[in-house]
Amino acid sequence: MYWTEIDTPIDPLLLVGDETGLHRLHFRPYEPPAGLARDDEVLATVVTQLREYFAGERVDFDLALQPVGTPFQTKVWTALRDIPYGRTTSYGELAAELGQPTASRAVGLANGRNPLAVIVPCHRVIGANGSLTGFGGGIERKRWLLDHERAVLAGRSGAAVSAGLW
């Protein structure tokens, strides 16, 4: 396993992975994992795609992902990748799509344990009333990511979002 960092408009991100794929993405504050070596080459594709995303040039990630979780968590994380760029869904809607309409809390818990935020877009899940709820990176980052995607879809640049012009 290796790690690298990438500067982004929502603060630096720490990436942890190996030749098989990306295992984790961390928001600040973080410490580089003890016992792991920094290797910018192994995770270069991840860095490139994240830069493209933040520049408004990428709406889908094409990466090998290796998140570790329970079968239910993995099912939720897979469903998150099906939420279209710039769109949102609620925890209840996501639970219903998974065939478990009474499992919105369980979906919320799995969403909160997503080890690959941004790439596995847990920020696209909101409260039933439209509120921005629960995001491991903080509500401000969640708001930024949603605004960024909407701005890109509206034809505005990601730079306009990061400058607070959206």
Side-chain angles (χ1 to χ4, degrees):
M1 293 275 260
Y2 305 97
W3 67 272
T4 192
E5 287 180 296
I6 176 177
D7 285 323
T8 75
I10 58 170
D11 291 327
L13 302 176
L14 176 79
L15 309 173
V16 178
D18 58 23
E19 294 82 358
T20 66
L22 183 65
H23 293 258
R24 294 187 309 272
L25 178 153
H26 298 276
F27 295 101
R28 264 199 192 206
Y30 57 74
E31 292 291 325
L36 299 186
R38 180 171 184 152
D39 189 324
D40 298 334
E41 269 311 299
V42 169
L43 299 165
T45 301
V46 179
V47 169
T48 297
Q49 290 193 25
L50 280 167
R51 283 190 178 129
E52 292 168 351
Y53 169 84
F54 285 109
E57 300 165 356
R58 174 174 290 279
V59 298
D60 291 308
F61 291 97
D62 181 24
L63 297 166
L65 304 177
Q66 298 293 328
V68 175
T70 67
F72 182 76
Q73 288 171 333
T74 303
K75 187 177 176 181
V76 171
W77 301 337
T78 299
L80 292 173
R81 295 190 76 191
D82 293 334
I83 302 169
Y85 181 92
R87 306 268 192 253
T88 58
T89 192
S90 72
Y91 297 99
E93 290 169 331
L94 192 55
E97 287 175 26
L98 293 171
Q100 296 180 278
T102 61
S104 60
R105 284 186 188 224
V107 166
L109 290 172
N111 197 49
R113 290 190 174 92
N114 172 15
L116 297 170
V118 181
I119 294 168
V120 176
C122 54
H123 60 277
R124 296 180 189 154
V125 184
I126 60 174
N129 64 359
S131 63
L132 299 186
T133 60
F135 184 63
I139 296 299
E140 287 306 312
R141 287 185 181 122
K142 182 173 188 160
R143 180 175 290 114
W144 191 97
L145 291 165
L146 292 172
D147 287 348
H148 169 69
E149 292 180 3
R150 289 181 185 127
V152 168
L153 288 178
R156 298 188 173 112
S157 73
V161 174
S162 63
L165 301 174
W166 171 248

